[in-house]
Amino acid sequence: MNTSDSSTTKTIIHAFEQIEAALNLKLKQQGYAIRHQNDGDTSFGNRHLTWLNDKQALRLSLDSNEGKFILDIANTLPLSPKTMWAHVLSIPYNPHKHDEHYVITIAVELMDSL
């Protein structure tokens, strides 16, 4: 991996962490708690995070290969490998446009979809 790839991966992971923090604040108010976090293959920046409440689960994924954040919902608990996830929203992410305003815009769009 060259320095540019490493820098891009760090930028993508930083964006994921910022979006995670913003969503976590809103979801905590709605009774959700983080139940699972997978940092994935850190060399590519892939990761996902799952929140649960009493009725459903939400999953935020970062697919750095596709360059997008994905929000999914599951209405059947408990979660299992056979759980069916419904797609809520997919937002493209360009790490070369990364600045605080850009990341906040993505976080707001994800939060508005809930």
Side-chain angles (χ1 to χ4, degrees):
M1 174 185 308
N2 66 37
T3 307
S4 176
D5 290 343
S6 177
S7 176
T8 299
T9 298
K10 287 179 184 177
T11 299
I12 292 168
I13 291 170
H14 179 69
F16 184 90
E17 290 169 347
Q18 289 178 290
I19 291 167
E20 170 191 337
L23 284 173
N24 198 43
L25 285 174
K26 180 174 183 171
L27 292 172
K28 275 179 132 177
Q29 295 171 349
Q30 296 177 2
Y32 285 88
I34 294 174
R35 291 293 184 229
H36 179 73
Q37 185 166 2
N38 178 348
D39 293 335
D41 183 346
T42 56
S43 63
F44 294 105
N46 296 328
R47 48 185 51 208
H48 71 265
L49 180 64
T50 304
W51 289 270
L52 291 172
N53 69 10
D54 294 336
K55 299 175 186 170
Q56 60 190 15
L58 291 166
R59 178 176 64 194
L60 175 66
S61 301
L62 167 60
D63 183 339
S64 60
N65 295 327
E66 295 288 325
K68 60 185 169 184
F69 290 96
I70 303 163
L71 186 62
D72 297 311
I73 190 168
N75 291 311
T76 305
L77 297 178
L79 294 176
S80 76
K82 294 182 179 183
T83 297
M84 298 297 295
W85 290 90
H87 182 71
V88 175
L89 184 64
S90 211
I91 300 176
Y93 176 72
N94 181 347
H96 304 293
K97 288 178 59 176
H98 180 89
D99 64 25
E100 294 305 310
H101 177 71
Y102 181 62
V103 174
I104 289 169
T105 301
I106 293 171
V108 168
E109 192 171 342
L110 287 164
M111 287 188 294
D112 288 348
S113 73
L114 299 175

